Amino acid sequence: MVGGLPVKRLHGTIKEVYQGKFIDRFPELPTAGKLIPIGETAATCLTEILPRPITPPVVKKFRNTSNPPAGKERVFYGRANDPDIASYLTHGITTIISENASSLVNPPPKTYFQQKIKEKKESVYLSNCQAPLGKSHDQSLRMPKGLDVNNTRFGTTVKQEISAADIVNPRKTFDEVQKEAQEGHDLYVSTHNDYYVGEAVNRKYNPSTFNRFNLHGKETPHFNDGRNISRTLHWVPDLQMKKSAKIVSKISDDFKEKFQPQIGKVHDLIADTLNVPPDHTFGILIRPEEYGVGDLLHNRLPSEYLKGKDRERAVFTAIRQNLKKANYHNFDTLLHAFRHYDKVTDIILALSMMYEALDSSILNSAAKNLVSKSAPEHAET
């Protein structure tokens, strides 16, 4: 009991579940929270309920349509209660058993009585009388009287000269066979029109005005790029439509030109009302100031403005860097470097000496021009 209230279990029995487990300090106040019923544990959920509940027939016919049991036929719920007539129906006709193949191929032997009856039935046929089965045809009825049929031979004796193998495949070399074929080729051309492959027909025209090796007619045009095949694969009306000019309404063309953007052109809706050239620029060109942001931030004087002097500063930096590298490796102090370039030893560096120092440092002509413009004629050390 929590707060003096009993807890109802899932099975429907009322029991003070929490009695003795918790102490209610304020029984007059309603309890907060949610009471969890006790009794439905994992073991009870996993325990199979036997016997299983039986599915009602009304529900079962619908489940047999969607989820039939294993090995059972799927039956539509509309004919679930119909009588089973299809299981007893037989389609087609019953085939009468005829004689089997073994009795036809190897029939059983006939008796003497059956054979006599068969001979009596076939005696009415003329072929059975003149040429019975298993005996030679009796031709003595049409022969002259007194002719010895058994010993008389007709025709002449054929002398065996050459075999068929020698005729089909004679024992001659290939050159001999070709030579014999060439000798009789002209005769076969006249009698059988037996021409070789590619041989022109000799129509016996006048040789003074006709040469059979001349070619007549025009050469058939041929292209290896397949243009003729491509022409056959396309319909003629489609090709004509591609070549013909496309007719566009002027109203539609004006609308597209005014309201639809075009590649490479600025979309201007009032272009037809402005009578200005295409390269016209609106507004006033602002003259750039002689000072920059850095000059304003550092509060430099007009004579010390650095705007526009980027190239000079870069050249001076390059000169300083090259001289620094050269002198750092060659001299210990800056005084030794100036004394090295001072050839006259008058403690004054002339402009020619500075050129010589720049030449030794391998600087370009732009740096030399900059030095000549900015440096005085003499520089004291």
Side-chain angles (χ1 to χ4, degrees):
M1 178 179 291
V2 178
L5 299 176
V7 179
K8 186 177 181 180
R9 302 184 64 186
L10 292 179
H11 294 291
T13 59
I14 299 175
K15 184 179 179 182
E16 298 176 357
V17 181
Y18 299 99
Q19 185 177 5
K21 192 173 183 181
F22 301 99
I23 299 175
D24 191 0
R25 303 294 182 183
F26 302 96
E28 67 277 2
L29 298 177
T31 57
K34 188 176 182 181
L35 296 178
I36 301 175
I38 298 177
E40 295 295 336
T41 60
T44 57
C45 294
L46 296 176
T47 303
E48 185 179 4
I49 301 175
L50 295 175
R52 291 187 176 183
I54 301 174
T55 305
V58 180
V59 180
K60 193 172 184 179
K61 67 178 183 179
F62 290 97
R63 290 192 57 83
N64 288 339
T65 303
S66 58
N67 299 318
K72 298 294 183 180
E73 181 185 0
R74 186 187 299 269
V75 180
F76 182 64
Y77 61 85
R79 63 181 187 90
N81 299 327
D82 295 346
D84 188 10
I85 303 175
S87 301
Y88 303 99
L89 291 179
T90 303
H91 300 275
I93 58 175
T94 304
T95 304
I96 301 174
I97 300 176
S98 59
E99 297 182 2
N100 51 17
S102 61
S103 61
L104 296 176
V105 174
N106 189 13
K110 297 180 180 180
T111 61
Y112 182 76
F113 180 73
Q114 292 175 349
Q115 184 66 26
K116 287 297 182 181
I117 293 176
K118 183 179 179 182
E119 291 178 359
K120 186 177 181 180
K121 290 180 180 179
E122 293 182 355
S123 61
V124 297
Y125 298 106
L126 181 62
S127 60
N128 188 27
C129 298
Q130 295 181 356
L133 185 63
K135 296 181 181 180
S136 178
H137 182 59
D138 187 10
Q139 299 180 357
S140 60
L141 300 176
R142 300 181 181 180
M143 294 294 179
K145 294 181 179 181
L147 180 65
D148 189 2
V149 180
N150 297 325
N151 298 324
T152 303
R153 296 181 180 180
F154 299 92
T156 58
T157 304
V158 178
K159 296 180 180 180
Q160 185 178 1
E161 296 180 354
I162 187 171
S163 62
D166 295 336
I167 296 175
V168 175
N169 189 12
R171 298 179 182 179
K172 297 180 181 179
T173 61
F174 179 78
D175 296 335
E176 293 176 355
V177 174
Q178 289 293 330
K179 185 177 180 181
E180 292 179 359
Q182 288 290 341
E183 291 177 355
H185 176 66
D186 297 336
L187 299 177
Y188 279 99
V189 167
S190 302
T191 57
H192 298 78
N193 292 328
D194 185 16
Y195 294 94
Y196 290 127
V197 177
E199 183 180 0
V201 178
N202 187 6
R203 305 186 184 277
K204 298 181 180 180
Y205 293 138
N206 187 6
S208 60
T209 58
F210 174 77
N211 187 5
R212 65 173 184 170
F213 297 104
N214 292 338
L215 300 179
H216 303 274
K218 295 182 179 180
E219 184 180 359
T220 303
H222 173 71
F223 303 98
N224 294 328
D225 54 0
R227 65 183 69 177
N228 293 331
I229 298 178
S230 176
R231 191 179 305 165
T232 57
L233 295 177
H234 293 83
W235 292 97
V236 177
D238 296 342
L239 296 176
Q240 293 178 352
M241 288 294 294
K242 291 182 179 180
K243 295 179 181 179
S244 62
K246 296 182 179 180
I247 301 174
V248 182
S249 174
K250 187 177 184 303
I251 299 175
S252 176
D253 189 30
D254 295 341
F255 177 81
K256 291 181 180 180
E257 184 179 359
K258 185 175 181 180
F259 293 100
Q260 290 187 0
Q262 298 181 8
I263 298 176
K265 294 183 179 180
V266 180
H267 188 199
D268 191 2
L269 298 177
I270 59 174
D272 53 348
T273 60
L274 294 177
N275 298 323
V276 293
D279 56 348
H280 180 75
T281 303
F282 296 91
I284 302 174
L285 294 177
I286 300 175
R287 183 179 179 182
E289 302 291 344
E290 59 183 0
Y291 50 84
V293 179
D295 300 331
L296 294 177
L297 293 177
H298 294 282
N299 197 16
R300 295 191 182 97
L301 297 176
S303 60
E304 298 177 354
Y305 287 158
L306 298 180
K307 184 179 180 181
K309 299 180 180 180
D310 297 337
R311 177 175 173 79
E312 297 179 6
R313 295 175 61 191
V315 173
F316 271 119
T317 304
I319 294 173
R320 187 181 295 112
Q321 187 69 16
N322 280 274
L323 291 176
K324 179 180 177 181
K325 288 182 179 180
N327 297 329
Y328 179 79
H329 292 289
N330 297 328
F331 307 102
D332 295 335
T333 61
L334 186 61
L335 181 60
H336 292 168
F338 277 103
R339 287 179 179 177
H340 173 74
Y341 294 117
D342 187 10
K343 305 296 182 180
V344 190
T345 64
D346 55 354
I347 320 178
I348 295 175
L349 284 177
L351 191 60
S352 59
M353 297 180 183
M354 296 181 68
Y355 280 158
E356 184 180 355
L358 294 176
D359 289 334
S360 62
S361 300
I362 317 176
L363 292 178
N364 54 11
S365 59
K368 298 176 183 178
N369 295 334
L370 187 60
V371 170
S372 62
K373 292 180 182 179
S374 58
E377 185 177 359
H378 294 81
E380 295 185 1
T381 59

